[in-house]
Amino acid sequence: MFVGHYSVAFACRTERNRIPLWVLFVAVQFLDYVWATLVLLGIEKLRVIKGFTAGSMLDSYFHPYSHSLIMAVIWSAVAAFVYRTVCGRYGRYCSKAAPLIIGLAVFSHWILDLIAHPRDLAIYDNRWKVGFGLWNYRDPEFALEIALLAGGIVLYLARNAMPAIRKGAVIAFGLVLVIVQIGDTYVPRTPLTDKTTVMGVWVFYTLFVLIAFGVEKIGTRTKSITP
Ligand SMILES: [Zn+2]
């Protein structure tokens, strides 16, 4: 699962919780940030094999600290706690439900990975591996990613008041994510090394976070100067 994760970020943001979209973009990929970092450090292991599954070249044969069910629950709780603490410290608005929403957004990553991944997600440590393996079916997996993303964006647009220009930017951002997914799923390429692959993960995910940050600034200039 790739851009489908962002559907949860778009769907979680409402006028009531006012969690910045960019924060949710970090939350839904938080487990992959941990994973990419641990692979870079040589602690978790990854093989990049052409044709490993129809929709992905990633053989994540050892990622118990980022992607086991137990650790996913723990990371979700940590993220919820950190969000509440940071909001409190900086006097940011934090609705009662917001930390829980952050936690669920982090955990959603594991659920969506469970659908796409082959049996490489451990329940605990590196044991009892599960995964429904939708990545073995390239077109249905792609269709699910796009359907989820579209649904998330529709919810985001419906539940958040914003100027027309930002609506346009959100839709354009959605189209960029669709193009990125087309590239990832359908454009053949030679596999990179494990380290280069996860560096790419870091760069792309962070680029999307920055775009999400920028998109929510569009059309706020006149409003934000209130004393
Ligand atoms: Zn993942």
Side-chain angles (χ1 to χ4, degrees), residues 94-118:
C94 183
S95 76
K96 257 194 188 146
L100 178 67
I101 292 166
I102 291 288
L104 290 174
V106 172
F107 189 69
S108 76
H109 184 98
W110 196 86
I111 298 296
L112 293 180
D113 270 5
L114 176 66
I115 297 169
H117 279 228

Side-chain angles (χ1 to χ4, degrees), residues 83-189:
Y83 184 77
R84 203 181 58 183
T85 310
V86 170
C87 281
R89 184 158 300 174
Y90 293 97
R92 283 299 202 107
Y93 171 79
C94 183
S95 76
K96 257 194 188 146
L100 178 67
I101 292 166
I102 291 288
L104 290 174
V106 172
F107 189 69
S108 76
H109 184 98
W110 196 86
I111 298 296
L112 293 180
D113 270 5
L114 176 66
I115 297 169
H117 279 228
R119 277 201 192 178
D120 63 14
L121 297 163
I123 299 295
Y124 155 75
D125 193 23
N126 200 34
R127 291 197 232 173
W128 305 315
K129 296 207 174 170
V130 290
F132 302 153
L134 196 61
W135 262 338
N136 290 313
Y137 309 93
R138 193 162 66 164
D139 298 340
E141 205 280 335
F142 175 80
L144 178 67
E145 303 248 18
I146 303 306
L148 285 171
L149 183 67
I153 291 177
V154 166
L155 278 176
Y156 178 81
L157 293 173
R159 301 204 288 185
N160 296 282
M162 68 189 82
I165 184 167
R166 197 190 306 164
K167 272 192 181 156
V170 168
I171 292 165
F173 184 22
L175 291 175
V176 167
L177 290 172
V178 170
I179 292 165
V180 168
Q181 185 67 56
I182 291 171
D184 191 59
T185 306
Y186 292 107
V187 177
R189 56 188 191 275

Side-chain angles (χ1 to χ4, degrees), residues 16 34 40-41 47 49 64 80 86 112 116 146 169 186 194 202:
R16 278 182 77 178
V34 175
L40 274 176
L41 294 173
R47 275 185 290 250
I49 303 167
V86 170
L112 293 180
I146 303 306
Y186 292 107
D194 54 346
W202 253 102

Side-chain angles (χ1 to χ4, degrees), residues 1 5 29 31-32 35 67 109 113 117 121:
M1 186 68 52
H5 287 298
Q29 296 287 22
L31 299 185
D32 273 10
W35 166 71
H67 277 74
H109 184 98
D113 270 5
H117 279 228
L121 297 163

